[in-house]
Amino acid sequence: MRKNILIFLILIIPLIDSFSQDNFQWMLDSDESSIEYQAKHLLHKWIGINNNVKGVFLLKEDDSRIAIAANIADFDSGISNRDSNALRVLDAFNHPQVKFYSDQILISEKKITLKGELDFHGVKTNKNIEASFLKDGNTIRIEGNFPIVFTDFKIELPSLMLKKIEDFAKISYKLVFKRN
């Protein structure tokens, strides 16, 4: 009898853990998610939007992880010439994606803090990101923004009319995850 109870517990405990409410893999819904950058030159500003972001969020009480990836070629500023120049400047052939990974995640009532690694243009840097966090049934929404400095990623700033673009860009994101 004790042997049967022990075998039952060994088999059932992993199942209970896998059905716990917060122990699920959440997949990024590319149709509802986006990443955009805002850049500026003396003569004008522009926004490039990527609506084809990929990602996964493993939400566990004590071991959460998130991974996000976006192809450089999928950013659209509305001007194809500018986008093709961006592909050249960012060397998208050798560095086709911008990626973020974090396994140090702190979630409070409506905020999330992600301490992780941003991989852009072949340069990896530590990044602390704070964002709004909303978990509602089968959906998690993470939204926010953060600055980047292009030259921190060894990007040579392009020029227009002998004036380089600003070395600063604002990255905004809306990430919508659905329960897998």
Side-chain angles (χ1 to χ4, degrees):
M1 178 70 169
R2 285 185 185 174
K3 186 177 179 183
N4 288 341
I5 292 173
L6 182 60
I7 291 172
F8 176 76
L9 289 175
I10 290 172
L11 294 174
I12 197 71
I13 288 175
L15 290 175
I16 291 170
D17 186 44
S18 69
F19 288 109
S20 123
Q21 184 175 355
D22 288 338
N23 189 14
F24 284 93
Q25 181 174 326
W26 300 72
M27 297 302 294
L28 190 73
D29 184 340
S30 294
D31 292 334
E32 293 187 45
S33 301
S34 65
I35 297 175
E36 69 179 44
Y37 72 91
Q38 296 177 30
K40 194 170 164 182
H41 182 268
L42 179 65
L43 300 175
H44 65 284
K45 328 181 208 184
W46 68 95
I47 296 174
I49 301 172
N50 187 325
N51 291 313
N52 193 25
V53 183
K54 306 294 183 211
V56 63
F57 187 12
L58 179 60
L59 183 61
K60 286 179 135 180
E61 192 171 310
D62 58 345
D63 186 28
S64 295
R65 299 165 195 233
I66 192 168
I68 306 294
N71 290 328
I72 300 296
D74 290 336
F75 282 90
D76 182 5
S77 71
I79 298 177
S80 59
N81 189 38
R82 177 174 32 226
D83 294 337
S84 64
N85 283 334
L87 293 176
R88 180 186 51 78
V89 168
L90 297 175
D91 193 14
F93 183 75
N94 289 314
H95 310 290
Q97 292 185 322
V98 57
K99 300 178 260 188
F100 179 77
Y101 173 79
S102 174
D103 61 2
Q104 297 178 26
I105 300 171
L106 179 62
I107 300 172
S108 62
E109 189 173 319
K110 294 183 181 180
K111 293 202 179 255
I112 186 168
T113 301
L114 307 164
K115 293 182 181 180
E117 181 178 80
L118 180 63
D119 183 348
F120 179 41
H121 194 247
V123 175
K124 296 177 182 178
T125 185
N126 292 328
K127 197 80 178 158
N128 293 335
I129 298 173
E130 291 189 9
S132 67
F133 177 85
L134 176 63
K135 183 177 174 195
D136 184 23
N138 291 327
T139 304
I140 291 176
R141 293 182 185 280
I142 300 173
E143 294 185 43
N145 60 69
F146 61 91
I148 64 165
V149 177
F150 291 121
T151 54
D152 286 350
F153 294 94
K154 300 181 182 173
I155 296 170
E156 189 174 323
L157 299 174
S159 297
L160 175 65
M161 297 183 71
L162 303 175
K163 186 72 177 164
K164 293 184 184 263
I165 69 166
E166 286 191 6
D167 194 13
F168 167 84
K170 179 180 173 185
I171 308 299
S172 301
Y173 51 90
K174 178 177 78 170
L175 306 173
V176 178
F177 295 88
K178 302 285 174 115
R179 193 179 306 226
N180 191 15

